[in-house]
Amino acid sequence: MGIHVIKMPDLGEGIAEVEVVAWHVQPGDTVKEDQVLADVMTDKATVEIPSPVAGTITSLGGAVGQSLAVGAELIRLDVEGAGNFSGEKAKQEPVKSAAATAPAEEVAEPQLEAVAQAEATQGASAKAAAPAAPAPRAAAPQARSYQNGPAPMRADGEKPLAAPAVRQRAWDLGIELQFVHGSGPAGRILHSDLDAHVAGRRASAPGAGRDERYAKRDGEQSAPVIGLRRKIAEKMQEAKRNIPHFTYVEEVDVTELEALRTQLNARYGAERGKLTFLPLLMRAVVLALRQYPMMNARYDDANNLLTQFEGVHLGIAAQTEAGLMVPVVRHAETLDPWAAAAEVARLADAARAGRATREELTGSTITITSLGPLGGIVTTPVLNRPEVAIIGPNRIVDRPMIRDGAMVARKMMNLSSSFDHRVIDGQVAAKFVQTIRGYLETPATIFVE
């Protein structure tokens, strides 16, 4: 038997380290050649690491959420033959068990449970050996707070009858026996009487009697921010820290656009696919960029370099189970609305299924972000750094509007768009958004070059 060490491969594009986001194996597992061992996260995509050999896992190189440098040890296996790792040190190193590589919380939990059981046993023994508690002291603040003003069950000077164990339990519960009804012989208070008293106390407490929806909840749970969620957090933080955002909001009357979309779907939907609002907006943005090419750009703030692009590579923010991703529709200027719709659908499916490639998730020059029917009235989109503009359509709603002196119902939508104020002036941004608005409110112009 030999030892084979799998090191973190160089994934290209100058990547120096990656983050481990999932292990598909554990120490002791037997794996086959080409079996996926782990998922690692680069700046843009999740990459699967397969095993080049068959063998038995002996140790893992890091925990989920940990960053590993390119060339660092990822996994160690026992394999047939000599393997690729030799030396006395390798022979002396013990094989790590699954417990040794498990998160600290998982290892500690059984130990904590054993301690709790020991403490419970010691507590029970101590209680059994404890002498009977004296009669409860008068009017403890905790006990009185539970009584809500009831009259004592006994006359002044009459002592409640109860066994020492009952008295001890009442003391622990903060119950004054003077207020407890005794159902035993000669009015003796039993454990069942304490149970009934506690139940009555809870029933009389504020909010008692409500169903489970109103039950008090004190639980909490913590989870590490790892993988795509951490990349999103870092990217958003960098964008807000480094870019002076400003957001410009304009309302758009999309009544005519929606009417045209309905007609196009009725006529061409069966053969060309149904159009949503998004591909029409994409085309309007492409046309507006011809007049305002400075919006189709990236700003390298480290080198004070603004790069404008002739090709429009539209990022389309898409929500996935893992978090926000931005697939890129490359050369959107070459696509009609139907072709744009098909490409958006393909990219969105790939992103949600985790199949999107690095090339499909990088290289955007301007981004559209939308929450669809949840789009709200106004949003303040965060720029997809290093881009300088992002377009955020909001929800389409029917609103009463004044047209030609008459109040009519129109389909209205706000465009909430953010810009990098270091390189985009407010007036230029406003004109850009107004140009998009013009195409959307006169939708025939979208199809006229």
Side-chain angles (χ1 to χ4, degrees):
M1 296 287 289
I3 297 175
H4 187 96
V5 174
I6 301 175
K7 296 185 177 182
M8 185 63 67
D10 185 352
L11 300 176
E13 297 191 13
I15 294 173
E17 65 177 19
V18 297
E19 178 185 350
V20 179
V21 294
W23 288 111
H24 297 296
V25 294
Q26 292 296 325
D29 290 353
T30 300
V31 299
K32 301 177 181 179
E33 186 176 350
D34 294 328
Q35 180 176 336
V36 175
L37 304 174
D39 293 343
V40 298
M41 183 94 188
T42 67
D43 288 341
K44 288 292 183 180
T46 300
V47 179
E48 294 180 340
I49 305 298
S51 176
V53 296
T56 301
I57 305 294
T58 61
S59 66
L60 307 180
V64 171
Q66 182 177 341
S67 293
L68 297 179
V70 171
E73 182 174 318
L74 180 67
I75 283 183
R76 185 173 293 200
L77 306 91
D78 279 340
V79 296
E80 296 290 340
N84 68 350
F85 190 78
S86 59
E88 291 302 316
K89 182 179 178 181
K91 296 177 183 177
Q92 295 170 3
E93 287 183 357
V95 176
K96 294 184 181 180
S97 66
T101 59
E105 301 82 14
E106 295 180 10
V107 176
E109 186 175 349
Q111 298 173 359
L112 292 175
E113 184 177 354
V115 170
Q117 290 175 351
E119 290 177 349
T121 303
Q122 294 171 2
S125 301
K127 273 191 178 179
R137 286 172 278 183
Q142 181 186 22
R144 280 195 174 177
S145 67
Y146 290 134
Q147 304 310 322
N148 296 321
M153 295 287 179
R154 293 159 186 83
D156 291 340
E158 181 184 357
K159 294 184 178 180
L161 298 176
V166 173
R167 291 183 182 277
Q168 180 65 51
R169 185 178 172 214
W171 179 263
D172 293 340
L173 292 173
I175 296 174
E176 292 185 68
L177 293 180
Q178 191 70 14
F179 295 92
V180 180
H181 171 73
S183 62
R188 181 180 294 273
I189 298 172
L190 309 176
H191 284 289
S192 59
D193 297 325
L194 294 182
D195 295 336
H197 184 82
V198 171
R201 186 172 69 184
R202 290 172 179 165
S204 62
R210 297 180 179 179
D211 61 30
E212 185 63 23
R213 293 174 297 172
Y214 301 98
K216 183 179 179 180
R217 291 172 170 82
D218 294 317
E220 60 182 58
Q221 58 182 4
S222 300
V225 179
I226 64 173
L228 179 59
R229 187 77 264 166
R230 183 161 76 179
K231 295 298 181 185
I232 293 172
E234 292 171 351
K235 192 173 181 65
M236 293 297 179
Q237 188 174 24
E238 288 175 0
K240 292 297 286 186
R241 181 191 296 121
N242 292 285
I243 302 175
H245 287 63
F246 77 95
T247 301
Y248 177 81
V249 182
E250 179 59 279
E251 66 177 1
V252 181
D253 186 338
V254 294
T255 307
E256 303 303 329
L257 181 69
E258 285 295 285
L260 177 60
R261 186 177 70 85
T262 300
Q263 294 174 16
L264 291 174
N265 285 339
R267 183 167 182 177
Y268 301 110
E271 58 189 75
R272 305 186 69 177
K274 298 283 187 179
L275 285 178
T276 63
F277 169 77
L278 179 58
L280 298 173
L281 173 62
M282 292 170 62
R283 189 60 187 169
V285 169
V286 165
L287 296 175
L289 288 174
R290 294 180 181 177
Q291 300 179 50
Y292 298 92
M294 71 288 297
M295 301 294 176
N296 192 45
R298 299 192 198 125
Y299 180 45
D300 180 356
D301 46 18
N303 298 304
N304 290 320
L305 182 66
L306 181 68
T307 304
Q308 294 184 14
F309 298 86
E310 293 185 4
V312 180
H313 307 307
L314 260 176
I316 307 296
Q319 189 65 39
T320 70
E321 291 184 1
L324 182 67
M325 303 182 76
V326 186
V328 181
V329 178
R330 297 192 177 277
H331 288 291
E333 76 277 7
T334 67
L335 306 176
D336 65 26
W338 287 276
E343 181 64 1
V344 167
R346 185 190 71 79
L347 289 170
D349 288 343
R352 293 190 181 100
R355 293 183 283 99
T357 65
R358 178 187 302 277
E359 290 72 22
E360 293 171 332
L361 295 172
T362 57
S364 57
T365 55
I366 187 171
T367 294
I368 294 176
T369 178
S370 172
L371 292 174
L374 301 176
I377 299 173
V378 172
T379 51
T380 55
V382 177
L383 284 164
N384 187 20
R385 188 172 183 247
E387 297 165 23
V388 300
I390 185 169
I391 312 300
N394 297 114
R395 185 175 63 244
I396 297 174
V397 296
D398 289 329
R399 293 188 205 150
M401 304 294 292
I402 304 297
R403 290 175 63 91
D404 299 327
M407 182 177 292
V408 294
R410 305 290 292 180
K411 292 188 178 298
M412 305 297 295
M413 179 199 72
N414 288 343
L415 274 181
S416 299
S417 305
S418 295
F419 303 89
D420 187 338
H421 217 334
R422 296 173 299 180
V423 292
I424 303 295
D425 295 331
Q427 185 181 45
V428 176
K431 288 181 177 180
F432 173 61
V433 173
Q434 292 296 337
T435 301
I436 297 174
R437 176 189 177 186
Y439 283 116
L440 297 178
E441 292 191 342
T442 313
T445 57
I446 293 176
F447 298 91
V448 177
E449 297 295 330

